[in-house]
Amino acid sequence: MTFYQRRPRTGATATRASASKTQASAALASALQALRGPFIVADLETTGLSTATCEILEFAAVRVETCGTLAREYTQVVRTAAPVPSFITRLTGITQAEVDRHGVPVMQAFSSFLEFVEDLPVFFHNASFDRRFLGAAADRTGMPFANATHCTLALARRAWPELPSHKLDILARHVGASNPTHRALADVRTTVAVALAANARLALAGQA
């Protein structure tokens, strides 16, 4: 049997841990402030995971007013440069025929998305993923995306730490929302329900 002696935390490690905790608390406070509304909840469907080789396939967003009501919706399929991969069609239901029939160039779709979100804070589930693709779209089109962004995944982890997973489908069942389908607008509607439920839960816990 081998025993391992825990090394004492160094000053630098303790400082980094303290800074990380402070940043997380600040991010939570900022997100909860943004949830007072109005705010945007958005989602992207993409042709894969890499911004270097994959494209945005669909934009969707919902504007939520101060009272928590859904005011307006935006959704648009993008005419991608490359064919829609078959595994993406199986996952999302978005076919090449739909892209050919209803898709618009990414510059047009991105411009409409930016017009819709205005300067409001934008929530995504797993925001780092969507931010990377929006950043790539901004670089390619020359249209910056400068909105404050927040992550409902991080909110859910704070609201329901007891859950074994905070994937959107599990959260949907937990809060009684519609099940996500991997179509952007349907997933946005589910994310709105999760965000509002997390806000209410954190308010009860005295964190909102």
Side-chain angles (χ1 to χ4, degrees):
M1 182 179 292
T2 304
F3 293 91
Y4 296 92
Q5 184 176 4
R6 178 175 291 181
R7 295 179 180 177
R9 179 174 286 184
T10 66
T13 302
T15 299
R16 285 195 297 269
S18 177
S20 178
K21 186 175 182 180
T22 300
Q23 289 173 355
S25 297
L28 175 64
S30 179
L32 293 174
Q33 175 68 30
L35 283 172
R36 295 179 182 180
F39 60 91
I40 302 291
V41 178
D43 185 47
L44 307 177
E45 298 301 332
T46 67
T47 59
L49 300 178
S50 170
T51 57
T53 57
C54 303
E55 304 172 71
I56 295 174
L57 181 59
E58 186 177 42
F59 289 87
V62 168
R63 179 181 172 123
V64 184
E65 296 298 343
T66 303
C67 55
T69 58
L70 279 60
R72 292 186 293 126
E73 297 179 340
Y74 168 74
T75 182
Q76 179 61 59
V77 173
V78 176
R79 188 181 304 136
T80 53
V84 179
S86 58
F87 78 92
I88 292 296
T89 295
R90 290 193 297 271
L91 178 67
T92 66
I94 301 173
T95 64
Q96 186 63 51
E98 181 179 356
V99 167
D100 293 341
R101 188 178 305 115
H102 301 297
V104 301
V106 66
M107 179 170 285
Q108 179 180 338
F110 189 41
S111 177
S112 297
F113 174 80
L114 294 176
E115 182 179 350
F116 182 88
V117 303
E118 300 176 342
D119 61 350
L120 295 176
V122 185
F123 287 80
F124 302 93
H125 200 70
N126 192 20
S128 60
F129 176 84
D130 299 87
R131 276 197 302 260
R132 286 193 295 108
F133 272 90
L134 289 173
D139 290 342
R140 290 168 186 164
T141 62
M143 296 182 289
F145 173 72
N147 297 53
T149 59
H150 304 282
C151 185
T152 57
L153 176 59
L155 277 175
R157 286 170 173 163
R158 292 294 293 265
W160 301 289
E162 71 278 8
L163 292 180
S165 170
H166 296 87
K167 291 181 178 179
L168 194 55
D169 58 337
I170 291 173
L171 291 168
R173 290 194 293 271
H174 187 69
V175 304
S178 57
N179 205 45
T181 64
H182 289 290
R183 285 304 298 252
L185 186 56
D187 288 3
V188 164
R189 291 168 178 159
T190 302
T191 303
V192 170
V194 168
L196 295 177
N199 189 40
R201 173 67 180 267
L202 291 169
L204 286 174
Q207 297 185 58

